[in-house]
Amino acid sequence: MIPYCKAHGIGLIPWSPLHQGDLAKPISESSARRAHSKGTFLDFGMSEIDKSIISRVEEIAKKKDWKMSEVALAWINAKVTSPIVGCNSVRKF
């Protein structure tokens, strides 16, 4: 579908560009969201490819002194029309 949209100038909006927060924190770091979704329909599990991508995002974030979420959203921004972003807490704002 993506090549078709590109060929015809159709914009793309990704769903969950941070993959439910997985691209915003290291795999080893736990969170309330990960714990809450465990065993529900939102628990997609993590493949080896997912883990590899998350680790790579973490590596790039450390090199650039950025947040992991900034790396993931910068990649999305370079590839699609408009990412949908959101937050689940005002604690860090």
Side-chain angles (χ1 to χ4, degrees):
M1 180 188 282
I2 294 172
Y4 177 84
C5 289
K6 282 185 176 184
H8 296 281
I10 299 169
L12 298 171
I13 299 176
W15 179 262
S16 190
L18 296 178
H19 195 265
Q20 296 183 331
D22 289 335
L23 290 170
K25 63 178 62 62
I27 296 169
S28 60
E29 194 174 309
S30 62
S31 71
R33 176 173 279 186
R34 283 182 183 165
H36 182 71
S37 65
K38 193 78 171 162
T40 70
F41 73 97
L42 296 172
D43 184 11
F44 302 110
M46 253 188 242
S47 70
E48 289 305 312
I49 292 172
D50 293 333
K51 291 175 185 177
S52 174
I53 291 169
I54 294 167
S55 295
R56 182 70 174 128
V57 169
E58 181 182 9
E59 178 185 328
I60 293 168
K62 284 179 181 176
K63 280 184 185 176
K64 294 189 169 283
D65 196 27
W66 289 6
K67 294 178 182 179
M68 288 177 63
S69 59
E70 292 172 324
V71 173
L73 292 175
W75 185 87
I76 287 287
N77 229 7
K79 304 289 181 189
V80 300
T81 306
S82 175
I84 298 172
V85 297
C87 62
N88 62 356
S89 168
V90 296
R91 183 182 77 224
K92 293 186 180 182
F93 294 101

